[in-house]
Amino acid sequence: MDERTERVRRRYDRMSGGYDRGESLQRFVIGGARSRLCGRAEGRVLEVAVGTGQNLGYYPPGVEITGVDLSPGMLARARARAAGLGSRAELAEGDAHDLAFGDGSFDTVVCTMALCEIPDQRRALAEMRRVLRPGGLLLLIDHIEYTRWPFRSGEARRERPRRLPRAVAAETGFEVREHGRTMLGFVEHVVARRRG
């Protein structure tokens, strides 16, 4: 784990205790995007950056959920939520840059409101593609304010500038089937399939 990823991990561990206090605001910002996208998951599902498990109640019956997150504190919250929902989700510590699963292990990969925090978006999406079976489903929701003026100029000065998730997904071997925005254009959802 590189130093930037370790900094993200420490920050989310610190925030884990009060993270869910912002859940109602987040629902206002993204509306029903979580339920609409997670409801489309199929088969074996990997949720990258599962956080406190806010998506766990939105998956359809019959899917097998595995969730990974950098932060032990966030995972503790996710485990408590899973227990409260009666979910049998497998939750483990993991880094989006180096997913500990074999090629083609999953039918669906989900990442919501987290890709913007992962230090190397391209590397993370390449890993998500690797662990998806050919034709597998990618479901993303993410902040994209950094792609708009005036934030774009500051973003360009970063070591690894963040870009629109759908553009990076297309570059890393996904066919983007659908995308749209909510919250005045600051949050985007993406539905894509793994090519090849």
Side-chain angles (χ1 to χ4, degrees):
M1 188 179 304
D2 65 27
E3 178 54 35
R4 290 187 318 147
T5 305
E6 183 59 43
R7 280 196 305 269
V8 171
R9 177 185 189 170
R10 287 192 302 265
R11 186 168 77 245
Y12 276 87
D13 255 353
R14 284 191 306 272
M15 292 182 349
S16 64
Y19 189 81
D20 286 332
R21 285 195 290 264
E23 193 170 354
S24 58
L25 174 62
Q26 201 172 88
R27 271 196 303 272
F28 171 75
V29 168
I30 65 174
R34 282 185 192 276
S35 62
R36 283 193 306 275
L37 255 65
C38 294
R40 295 169 77 163
E42 52 197 40
R44 294 161 299 155
V45 177
L46 173 64
E47 184 171 341
V48 176
V50 68
T52 62
Q54 291 182 13
N55 293 332
L56 293 176
Y58 298 124
Y59 288 111
V63 298
E64 298 172 29
I65 304 164
T66 301
V68 296
D69 201 277
L70 277 176
S71 163
M74 298 294 263
L75 282 168
R77 298 278 180 180
R79 287 186 182 104
R81 188 183 300 248
L85 292 169
S87 170
R88 293 189 312 212
E90 294 287 328
L91 301 171
E93 202 170 316
D95 182 352
H97 295 132
D98 188 20
L99 296 169
F101 306 101
D103 297 356
S105 296
F106 297 95
D107 301 298
T108 306
V109 172
V110 176
C111 185
T112 63
M113 307 304 276
L115 192 61
C116 59
E117 291 291 333
I118 296 171
D120 189 337
Q121 285 177 309
R122 186 178 180 86
R123 183 172 163 195
L125 279 164
E127 275 291 277
M128 292 178 205
R129 181 189 182 280
R130 181 186 65 75
V131 301
L132 268 175
R133 65 167 173 77
L137 184 62
L138 175 70
L139 302 171
L140 301 173
I141 305 170
D142 212 62
H143 301 282
I144 57 166
E145 71 280 358
Y146 51 81
T147 65
R148 297 178 67 166
W149 187 89
F151 308 107
R152 194 171 40 226
S153 61
E155 190 65 30
R157 291 190 292 275
R158 290 171 53 117
E159 181 182 342
R160 287 191 182 99
R162 295 173 293 180
R163 298 177 46 233
L164 282 173
R166 71 174 184 266
V168 183
E171 289 171 8
T172 53
F174 290 97
E175 177 188 344
V176 175
R177 300 270 180 97
E178 177 186 322
H179 64 88
R181 294 190 182 175
T182 62
M183 203 256 173
L184 304 174
F186 289 114
V187 174
E188 181 175 69
H189 76 270
V190 176
V191 176
R193 292 274 179 188
R194 178 189 156 167
R195 292 194 302 261

